[in-house]
Amino acid sequence: MTTRILPAVGDPDAARSVSTLLSQLPDAEPAQPVTDSTQLVDTLARLAAASLDELPEVVLVHERIGPVPALELVREVALRFPAVGVVLITADASPVLFSAAMDSGARGLVTLPLGYEELASRVQAAAQWSLGVRRHLGAGAERITGPGGTVVTVSGAKGGVGATVTAVHLALAARASGRSVALVDMDLQSGDIASYLDVQFRRSVADLATIADISPRVLQDAVFVHETGLSLLLAPAEGERGEEVTDRAARQIVSALRGRHEVVVLDCGSRLDSANAAAIEMADTALLVTTPDVIAVRAAKRTVRMWERLQVRKAEETVTLVNRHHRSTEIQPPLVQTITGTRVAGVTVPAHFKELQAVVDAGRLHELDAKSTVKQALWTLAAELGLVGPPAAETPGKELARAGDRGSLGLRRRTGGR
């Protein structure tokens, strides 16, 4: 049987060496090497979305792959694509690294410089393990054909542009369509989701920061189930505890949540730290919220350029939402798209804060009236981003999914009910 192998090697010389050896293995079908961690995960996600059988049996991860460290990448692949055998290529053959690689989910370790016999042995063992897992899945394979839930991050170009309101209503729209949804407050020093939803809960995302392996039971203890059905993972009440959440912890938390929820929405605030940078990098969709004024649009441009410099997210892979929009505003969405280089969402959120004020002051944002044009726009956005599943009749996004920006006015004329 042919063994499909996907190498992840950033260094061109090492990639050529690996490809040459793989081409000599019997019954091997090596793919073109991917050059970084993002490309590897995106490739696997695309294949998994088609079918479990499309995934390669073996993935080789070189120790110098980036920007995500090799062991973190091994862990993410093992968590998101459990039917793939991962082999780490490294110059360090110490027992400490071997143990760390196994703990991360690797099925083997090959030392540099590469040798034919060792590589063949490790690849064969990983492929056999992969085939065994797929046979074990059997009839259930069709239910495990994707990389887990959809992850969306919501960031603000600057403070006060409406990122938290947006995140909350994206989550509520997804939940109303029947999906299981986790809403995470990754604005670790000044998160307000608990205040917007009238929640008092002593557990927070910081309580998961030091846990090496987040089990379903541990995750359940840290999550608060809101009356709306949302699973909330809140920011710590003591802002200084936000520093406990490292990029590694953020990756583990996001991976654990996406494995148990169909949709994961993360409010990343307007401040970039290592934790929410990791979340933005892992996200299927990174949403950047701005308002149509010079200061906010300049801040959005700075944010996008910073994400690019730090290799967190490319501009063309970012979606910008224009909040508090008005037809008479000088800065219109096409200009925002030109300035930032991002894709602007097809829907804009109108400047009707009076609709929000009562529920925001009461801490009952989830009780915003279905007739609210702000709510209709945000639920339309949820449909545009693919967060609304097979639509329920009461979901505003159902009627608006095809309507774009003008749909909210049409819905207001037709019906106001959820």
Side-chain angles (χ1 to χ4, degrees):
M1 179 177 176
T2 301
T3 300
R4 293 165 296 178
I5 307 167
L6 177 59
V9 186
D11 180 71
D13 293 334
R16 282 192 293 270
S17 175
V18 170
S19 297
T20 300
L21 276 177
L22 290 177
S23 65
Q24 299 172 14
L25 298 182
D27 299 322
E29 186 182 306
Q32 188 70 21
V34 295
T35 57
D36 59 48
S37 57
T38 302
Q39 189 180 357
L40 172 62
V41 174
D42 288 349
T43 300
L44 293 175
R46 185 176 66 253
L47 295 172
S51 168
L52 177 68
D53 293 332
E54 294 297 318
L55 286 169
E57 285 75 26
V58 180
V59 167
L60 301 177
V61 176
H62 192 273
E63 63 179 354
R64 293 185 180 177
I65 195 72
V68 176
L71 288 180
E72 293 302 316
L73 181 59
V74 168
R75 180 184 294 274
E76 183 174 353
V77 172
L79 284 171
R80 293 181 61 181
F81 312 99
V84 174
V86 187
V87 176
L88 179 65
I89 302 174
T90 177
D92 183 2
S94 67
V96 173
L97 181 65
F98 183 84
S99 177
M102 297 303 105
D103 288 344
S104 297
R107 304 308 307 172
L109 188 148
V110 180
T111 56
L112 293 169
L114 292 175
Y116 175 86
E117 294 295 336
E118 184 184 21
L119 181 62
S121 173
R122 297 292 181 268
V123 166
Q124 182 181 16
Q128 289 177 348
W129 177 86
S130 174
L131 292 174
V133 169
R134 296 178 196 207
R135 281 196 299 269
H136 177 71
L137 292 175
E142 290 303 316
R143 296 193 300 269
I144 313 176
T145 57
T150 300
V151 176
V152 176
T153 57
V154 182
S155 305
K158 66 182 194 65
V161 295
T164 301
V165 171
T166 300
V168 170
H169 272 284
L170 290 179
L172 288 171
R175 179 62 190 146
S177 75
R179 292 190 169 190
S180 58
V181 182
L183 176 59
V184 187
D185 200 337
M186 287 293 288
D187 189 358
L188 297 172
Q189 291 189 354
S190 54
D192 283 322
I193 285 179
S195 298
Y196 275 110
L197 296 178
D198 192 24
V199 171
Q200 292 183 352
F201 192 59
R202 63 187 182 86
R203 300 282 188 182
S204 75
V205 65
D207 294 309
L208 299 176
T210 58
I211 299 175
D213 187 12
I214 301 174
S215 66
R217 177 61 182 273
V218 169
L219 189 62
Q220 182 180 353
D221 289 342
V223 166
F224 177 86
V225 180
H226 191 257
E227 62 187 79
T228 58
L230 295 178
S231 297
L232 304 180
L233 187 55
L234 303 172
E238 305 83 11
E240 64 273 16
R241 290 198 63 199
E243 297 181 359
E244 300 173 17
V245 185
T246 63
D247 56 340
R248 176 177 180 178
R251 292 181 190 283
Q252 287 186 243
I253 291 166
V254 173
S255 296
L257 287 168
R258 85 187 308 164
R260 294 181 61 82
H261 298 83
E262 294 173 274
V263 175
V264 181
V265 180
L266 299 103
D267 176 11
C268 293
S270 58
R271 176 178 174 271
L272 187 70
D273 55 31
S274 61
N276 54 39
I280 293 167
E281 183 186 353
M282 293 179 68
D284 298 292
T285 301
L287 185 69
L288 181 63
V289 183
T290 186
T291 49
D293 57 85
V294 172
I295 303 300
V297 173
R298 284 179 176 172
K301 181 178 180 180
R302 285 198 306 270
T303 298
V304 170
R305 298 297 175 262
M306 178 171 60
W307 287 0
E308 287 190 317
R309 289 195 304 272
L310 298 177
Q311 298 183 359
V312 172
R313 199 86 181 183
K314 295 179 180 178
E316 58 269 25
E317 296 173 351
T318 302
V319 180
T320 299
L321 172 69
V322 179
N323 188 22
R324 300 173 196 156
H325 175 260
H326 194 276
R327 291 180 184 273
S328 63
T329 305
E330 289 189 18
I331 300 178
Q332 293 293 320
L335 180 57
V336 175
Q337 180 165 302
T338 300
I339 293 173
T340 62
T342 62
R343 177 174 71 83
V344 171
V347 62
T348 57
V349 182
H352 293 161
F353 181 75
K354 287 184 178 180
E355 298 177 355
L356 293 169
Q357 190 163 7
V359 292
V360 167
D361 290 344
R364 308 289 291 178
L365 186 58
H366 51 289
E367 294 180 354
L368 181 61
D369 195 304
K371 295 180 180 179
S372 163
T373 56
V374 173
K375 178 174 181 175
Q376 291 172 9
L378 290 173
W379 285 41
T380 302
L381 176 66
E384 180 181 327
L385 298 180
L387 303 185
V388 176
E394 71 274 17
T395 304
K398 177 182 179 182
E399 295 189 48
L400 299 177
R402 299 182 299 273
D405 189 20
R406 296 183 178 86
S408 60
L409 297 177
L411 177 65
R412 185 169 51 180
R413 287 192 293 268
R414 290 191 296 272
T415 178
R418 255 208 251 178

Coordinates of all heavy atoms in Angstrom, one line a residue, residues 337-404:
Q337 N -10.9 49.4 2.9 CA -10.2 48.2 2.2 C -8.9 48.6 1.5 O -7.9 47.9 1.6 CB -11.2 47.6 1.2 CG -10.6 46.3 0.5 CD -11.7 45.5 -0.1 OE1 -12.6 45.1 0.5 NE2 -11.6 45.3 -1.4
T338 N -9.0 49.7 0.9 CA -7.8 50.2 0.1 C -6.7 50.6 1.1 O -5.5 50.2 0.9 CB -8.1 51.5 -0.7 OG1 -9.1 51.1 -1.7 CG2 -6.9 52.0 -1.4
I339 N -7.0 51.2 2.2 CA -6.0 51.7 3.2 C -5.4 50.5 3.9 O -4.1 50.5 4.1 CB -6.6 52.7 4.2 CG1 -7.0 54.0 3.5 CG2 -5.7 53.0 5.3 CD1 -7.8 55.0 4.3
T340 N -6.2 49.6 4.3 CA -5.7 48.5 5.2 C -5.2 47.3 4.4 O -4.3 46.5 4.9 CB -6.8 48.0 6.1 OG1 -7.9 47.5 5.3 CG2 -7.3 49.1 7.0
G341 N -5.6 47.1 3.1 CA -5.2 46.0 2.4 C -5.9 44.7 2.7 O -5.6 43.6 2.3
T342 N -7.0 44.8 3.6 CA -7.7 43.7 4.0 C -9.0 43.5 3.2 O -9.3 44.4 2.4 CB -8.1 43.8 5.5 OG1 -9.0 45.0 5.6 CG2 -6.9 44.0 6.4
R343 N -9.7 42.4 3.4 CA -11.0 42.3 2.8 C -12.1 42.8 3.8 O -12.1 42.4 5.0 CB -11.3 40.8 2.6 CG -12.7 40.6 2.0 CD -12.9 39.1 1.6 NE -13.1 38.3 2.7 CZ -14.2 38.1 3.4 NH1 -15.3 38.7 3.1 NH2 -14.2 37.2 4.4
V344 N -12.9 43.8 3.3 CA -13.9 44.4 4.2 C -15.1 43.5 4.1 O -15.5 43.1 3.0 CB -14.2 45.8 3.8 CG1 -15.4 46.4 4.5 CG2 -13.0 46.7 4.1
A345 N -15.8 43.3 5.3 CA -17.0 42.5 5.3 C -18.1 43.1 4.5 O -18.1 44.4 4.3 CB -17.4 42.4 6.8
G346 N -18.9 42.3 3.9 CA -20.0 42.8 3.1 C -21.1 43.5 3.8 O -21.9 44.2 3.2
V347 N -21.1 43.3 5.1 CA -22.1 44.1 6.0 C -21.4 45.1 6.8 O -20.2 44.9 7.2 CB -22.9 43.1 6.9 CG1 -21.9 42.3 7.8 CG2 -24.0 43.8 7.6
T348 N -22.0 46.2 7.1 CA -21.5 47.2 8.0 C -22.5 47.3 9.1 O -23.7 47.0 9.0 CB -21.4 48.6 7.3 OG1 -22.6 49.0 6.8 CG2 -20.3 48.5 6.2
V349 N -22.0 47.7 10.3 CA -22.9 47.9 11.5 C -23.3 49.3 11.6 O -22.4 50.2 11.7 CB -22.2 47.4 12.8 CG1 -23.1 47.5 14.0 CG2 -21.7 45.9 12.6
P350 N -24.6 49.7 11.7 CA -25.0 51.1 11.7 C -24.7 51.7 13.0 O -24.5 51.1 14.1 CB -26.5 51.0 11.5 CG -26.9 49.6 12.0 CD -25.7 48.7 11.6
A351 N -24.6 53.1 13.0 CA -24.2 53.9 14.2 C -25.5 54.1 15.0 O -26.0 55.3 15.0 CB -23.6 55.2 13.7
H352 N -26.0 53.1 15.7 CA -27.2 53.2 16.5 C -27.0 52.8 17.9 O -27.5 51.8 18.3 CB -28.4 52.4 15.8 CG -28.8 52.9 14.5 ND1 -29.5 52.2 13.6 CD2 -28.7 54.2 13.9 CE1 -29.8 52.9 12.5 NE2 -29.3 54.1 12.7
F353 N -26.1 53.5 18.6 CA -25.7 53.1 19.9 C -26.9 53.1 20.9 O -27.0 52.3 21.9 CB -24.6 53.9 20.5 CG -24.2 53.5 21.9 CD1 -23.4 52.4 22.1 CD2 -24.6 54.2 23.0 CE1 -23.1 52.0 23.4 CE2 -24.2 53.9 24.3 CZ -23.4 52.7 24.5
K354 N -27.9 54.0 20.6 CA -29.1 54.0 21.5 C -29.8 52.7 21.6 O -30.4 52.4 22.7 CB -30.0 55.1 21.0 CG -29.5 56.5 21.2 CD -30.6 57.6 20.8 CE -30.1 59.0 21.1 NZ -31.1 60.0 20.6
E355 N -29.7 51.9 20.6 CA -30.3 50.6 20.6 C -29.6 49.7 21.7 O -30.2 48.8 22.3 CB -30.3 49.9 19.3 CG -31.0 50.6 18.2 CD -30.8 49.9 16.8 OE1 -30.1 48.9 16.7 OE2 -31.5 50.4 15.9
L356 N -28.3 49.9 21.9 CA -27.5 49.1 22.8 C -27.5 49.6 24.2 O -27.2 48.8 25.1 CB -26.1 49.0 22.2 CG -25.8 48.3 20.9 CD1 -24.4 48.6 20.4 CD2 -26.0 46.8 21.0
Q357 N -27.7 50.9 24.4 CA -27.3 51.5 25.7 C -28.0 50.8 26.9 O -27.4 50.5 27.9 CB -27.7 52.9 25.7 CG -27.1 53.7 26.9 CD -27.1 55.2 26.7 OE1 -27.6 55.7 25.7 NE2 -26.5 55.9 27.6
A358 N -29.3 50.5 26.8 CA -30.0 49.9 27.9 C -29.5 48.5 28.3 O -29.2 48.3 29.5 CB -31.5 49.9 27.6
V359 N -29.3 47.7 27.3 CA -28.8 46.3 27.6 C -27.3 46.3 28.0 O -26.9 45.5 28.8 CB -29.0 45.4 26.4 CG1 -30.5 45.1 26.2 CG2 -28.4 45.9 25.1
V360 N -26.5 47.2 27.5 CA -25.1 47.3 27.9 C -25.1 47.8 29.4 O -24.3 47.2 30.2 CB -24.4 48.3 27.0 CG1 -23.0 48.6 27.6 CG2 -24.2 47.7 25.6
D361 N -25.8 48.8 29.7 CA -25.8 49.3 31.1 C -26.3 48.2 32.1 O -25.9 48.2 33.2 CB -26.7 50.6 31.2 CG -26.0 51.7 30.5 OD1 -24.8 51.7 30.2 OD2 -26.7 52.7 30.3
A362 N -27.3 47.4 31.6 CA -27.8 46.4 32.5 C -27.0 45.1 32.5 O -27.3 44.2 33.3 CB -29.3 46.0 32.1
G363 N -26.0 45.0 31.7 CA -25.2 43.8 31.6 C -26.0 42.7 31.0 O -25.8 41.5 31.3
R364 N -26.9 43.0 30.1 CA -27.8 41.9 29.4 C -27.7 42.1 27.9 O -28.7 42.2 27.2 CB -29.2 42.1 29.9 CG -29.4 42.2 31.4 CD -29.2 40.8 32.1 NE -30.2 39.9 31.7 CZ -30.2 38.6 32.2 NH1 -29.2 38.1 32.9 NH2 -31.2 37.8 31.8
L365 N -26.5 42.1 27.4 CA -26.3 42.3 25.9 C -27.1 41.2 25.1 O -27.5 41.5 24.0 CB -24.8 42.3 25.6 CG -24.5 42.6 24.2 CD1 -25.0 44.0 23.8 CD2 -22.9 42.6 24.0
H366 N -27.2 40.0 25.7 CA -27.9 38.9 25.0 C -29.4 39.2 24.9 O -30.1 38.4 24.2 CB -27.7 37.6 25.7 CG -28.0 37.6 27.2 ND1 -27.2 38.3 28.1 CD2 -29.0 37.1 27.9 CE1 -27.7 38.2 29.3 NE2 -28.8 37.4 29.2
E367 N -29.9 40.2 25.6 CA -31.4 40.5 25.5 C -31.7 41.6 24.5 O -32.8 42.2 24.5 CB -31.9 40.8 26.9 CG -31.9 39.6 27.8 CD -32.4 39.9 29.2 OE1 -32.7 41.1 29.5 OE2 -32.5 39.0 30.0
L368 N -30.7 42.0 23.7 CA -30.9 43.0 22.7 C -32.1 42.6 21.8 O -32.2 41.5 21.3 CB -29.6 43.2 21.9 CG -29.7 44.3 20.8 CD1 -29.9 45.7 21.4 CD2 -28.4 44.3 20.0
D369 N -33.0 43.6 21.6 CA -34.2 43.4 20.8 C -33.8 42.9 19.4 O -32.9 43.4 18.7 CB -35.0 44.7 20.7 CG -36.4 44.4 20.3 OD1 -36.6 43.8 19.2 OD2 -37.3 44.8 21.0
A370 N -34.6 41.9 18.9 CA -34.4 41.3 17.6 C -34.6 42.4 16.5 O -34.1 42.2 15.4 CB -35.2 40.1 17.4
K371 N -35.4 43.4 16.8 CA -35.6 44.5 15.8 C -34.4 45.4 15.7 O -34.4 46.3 14.8 CB -36.9 45.3 16.2 CG -38.1 44.5 16.2 CD -39.3 45.3 16.6 CE -40.6 44.5 16.6 NZ -41.8 45.3 17.0
S372 N -33.5 45.3 16.6 CA -32.3 46.2 16.5 C -31.6 46.1 15.2 O -31.2 44.9 14.8 CB -31.4 45.9 17.7 OG -30.1 46.5 17.5
T373 N -31.3 47.1 14.6 CA -30.5 47.1 13.3 C -29.1 46.7 13.6 O -28.4 46.1 12.7 CB -30.5 48.4 12.6 OG1 -30.1 49.5 13.5 CG2 -32.0 48.8 12.1
V374 N -28.6 47.0 14.8 CA -27.2 46.6 15.1 C -27.2 45.1 15.2 O -26.3 44.4 14.7 CB -26.8 47.2 16.5 CG1 -25.4 46.6 16.9 CG2 -26.7 48.7 16.3
K375 N -28.1 44.5 15.9 CA -28.2 43.0 16.1 C -28.3 42.3 14.7 O -27.7 41.4 14.4 CB -29.3 42.6 17.0 CG -29.5 41.1 17.2 CD -30.5 40.8 18.2 CE -30.6 39.3 18.4 NZ -31.6 38.9 19.5
Q376 N -29.2 42.9 13.9 CA -29.5 42.3 12.6 C -28.2 42.3 11.7 O -27.9 41.3 11.1 CB -30.6 43.0 11.9 CG -31.9 42.8 12.5 CD -33.0 43.7 11.9 OE1 -32.8 44.4 10.9 NE2 -34.2 43.7 12.5
A377 N -27.4 43.4 11.8 CA -26.2 43.5 11.0 C -25.2 42.5 11.5 O -24.5 41.8 10.7 CB -25.6 44.9 11.1
L378 N -25.0 42.4 12.9 CA -24.0 41.4 13.4 C -24.4 40.0 13.2 O -23.5 39.1 12.9 CB -23.9 41.7 14.9 CG -23.2 43.0 15.3 CD1 -23.2 43.2 16.8 CD2 -21.7 43.0 14.7
W379 N -25.7 39.7 13.2 CA -26.1 38.3 12.9 C -26.0 38.0 11.4 O -25.7 36.9 11.0 CB -27.5 38.1 13.4 CG -27.6 37.9 14.9 CD1 -26.9 38.6 15.8 CD2 -28.4 37.0 15.6 NE1 -27.2 38.2 17.1 CE2 -28.1 37.2 17.0 CE3 -29.3 36.0 15.3 CZ2 -28.7 36.5 18.0 CZ3 -29.9 35.2 16.3 CH2 -29.6 35.5 17.6
T380 N -26.1 39.0 10.6 CA -25.8 38.9 9.1 C -24.3 38.6 8.9 O -24.0 37.7 8.1 CB -26.2 40.2 8.4 OG1 -27.6 40.5 8.6 CG2 -25.9 40.0 6.9
L381 N -23.5 39.3 9.7 CA -22.1 39.0 9.6 C -21.8 37.6 10.0 O -20.9 37.0 9.4 CB -21.3 40.0 10.5 CG -19.8 39.8 10.6 CD1 -19.1 40.1 9.3 CD2 -19.2 40.7 11.7
A382 N -22.4 37.1 11.0 CA -22.2 35.7 11.4 C -22.5 34.7 10.3 O -21.7 33.8 10.0 CB -23.0 35.3 12.6
A383 N -23.5 35.0 9.5 CA -23.9 34.2 8.4 C -22.8 34.3 7.3 O -22.4 33.3 6.7 CB -25.2 34.5 7.8
E384 N -22.3 35.5 7.1 CA -21.3 35.8 6.1 C -20.0 35.0 6.4 O -19.3 34.5 5.5 CB -21.0 37.3 6.0 CG -20.0 37.7 4.9 CD -19.7 39.2 4.9 OE1 -20.6 39.9 5.1 OE2 -18.5 39.5 4.6
L385 N -19.7 34.9 7.7 CA -18.5 34.3 8.1 C -18.6 32.7 8.2 O -17.7 32.0 8.6 CB -18.0 34.8 9.5 CG -17.6 36.3 9.5 CD1 -17.2 36.7 10.9 CD2 -16.5 36.6 8.5
G386 N -19.8 32.2 8.0 CA -20.0 30.8 8.0 C -20.2 30.2 9.4 O -20.1 29.0 9.6
L387 N -20.6 31.1 10.3 CA -20.8 30.6 11.7 C -22.2 30.1 12.0 O -22.4 29.5 13.0 CB -20.5 31.8 12.7 CG -19.1 32.4 12.6 CD1 -18.9 33.4 13.7 CD2 -18.0 31.4 12.6
V388 N -23.1 30.4 11.1 CA -24.5 30.0 11.2 C -24.7 28.7 10.5 O -24.4 28.6 9.3 CB -25.5 31.1 10.7 CG1 -26.9 30.6 10.8 CG2 -25.3 32.3 11.5
G389 N -25.1 27.6 11.2 CA -25.2 26.3 10.6 C -26.5 26.3 9.8 O -27.0 27.3 9.3
P390 N -27.0 25.0 9.6 CA -28.3 24.9 8.9 C -29.3 25.8 9.6 O -29.6 25.6 10.8 CB -28.6 23.4 9.1 CG -27.3 22.8 9.3 CD -26.5 23.7 10.0
P391 N -29.7 26.9 9.0 CA -30.4 28.0 9.7 C -31.7 27.6 10.3 O -32.5 26.9 9.6 CB -30.6 29.1 8.6 CG -30.5 28.3 7.3 CD -29.6 27.1 7.5
A392 N -31.9 28.0 11.5 CA -33.2 27.9 12.1 C -34.1 29.0 11.7 O -33.7 30.1 11.3 CB -33.1 27.9 13.7
A393 N -35.4 28.8 11.8 CA -36.3 29.8 11.2 C -36.3 31.1 12.0 O -36.5 32.2 11.4 CB -37.8 29.3 11.3
E394 N -35.8 31.1 13.3 CA -35.9 32.3 14.0 C -34.6 33.1 14.0 O -34.5 34.1 14.6 CB -36.1 32.0 15.5 CG -35.0 31.3 16.2 CD -35.0 29.8 16.1 OE1 -35.7 29.3 15.1 OE2 -34.3 29.1 16.8
T395 N -33.6 32.6 13.2 CA -32.3 33.3 13.1 C -32.4 34.5 12.1 O -32.6 34.2 11.0 CB -31.2 32.3 12.7 OG1 -31.2 31.2 13.6 CG2 -29.9 33.0 12.8
P396 N -32.1 35.7 12.6 CA -32.1 36.8 11.7 C -31.2 36.6 10.5 O -31.5 37.1 9.4 CB -31.7 38.0 12.5 CG -32.1 37.7 13.9 CD -32.0 36.2 14.0
G397 N -30.1 36.0 10.7 CA -29.1 35.8 9.7 C -29.6 35.0 8.5 O -29.1 35.0 7.4
K398 N -30.7 34.2 8.8 CA -31.3 33.4 7.7 C -31.7 34.3 6.5 O -31.4 34.0 5.4 CB -32.5 32.6 8.2 CG -33.2 31.7 7.1 CD -34.3 31.0 7.7 CE -35.0 30.2 6.6 NZ -36.2 29.5 7.1
E399 N -32.5 35.3 6.8 CA -33.0 36.1 5.8 C -31.9 37.1 5.2 O -32.1 37.6 4.1 CB -34.2 37.0 6.3 CG -35.4 36.1 6.7 CD -36.6 37.0 7.0 OE1 -36.9 37.9 6.2 OE2 -37.2 36.8 8.0
L400 N -30.9 37.3 6.0 CA -29.9 38.3 5.6 C -28.7 37.7 4.9 O -27.8 38.4 4.4 CB -29.4 39.1 6.8 CG -30.6 39.8 7.5 CD1 -30.0 40.5 8.8 CD2 -31.2 40.9 6.6
A401 N -28.5 36.4 4.9 CA -27.3 35.8 4.5 C -27.0 36.1 3.0 O -25.8 36.3 2.7 CB -27.4 34.2 4.6
R402 N -28.0 36.3 2.2 CA -27.8 36.7 0.8 C -27.9 38.2 0.5 O -27.8 38.6 -0.6 CB -28.7 35.9 -0.1 CG -28.5 34.4 0.1 CD -29.5 33.6 -0.9 NE -30.9 34.0 -0.6 CZ -31.6 33.3 0.3 NH1 -31.1 32.3 1.0 NH2 -32.9 33.6 0.5
A403 N -28.3 38.9 1.6 CA -28.7 40.3 1.3 C -27.6 41.3 1.4 O -27.7 42.4 0.8 CB -29.8 40.7 2.3
G404 N -26.5 41.0 2.1 CA -25.5 42.0 2.2 C -25.9 43.1 3.1 O -26.7 43.0 4.0

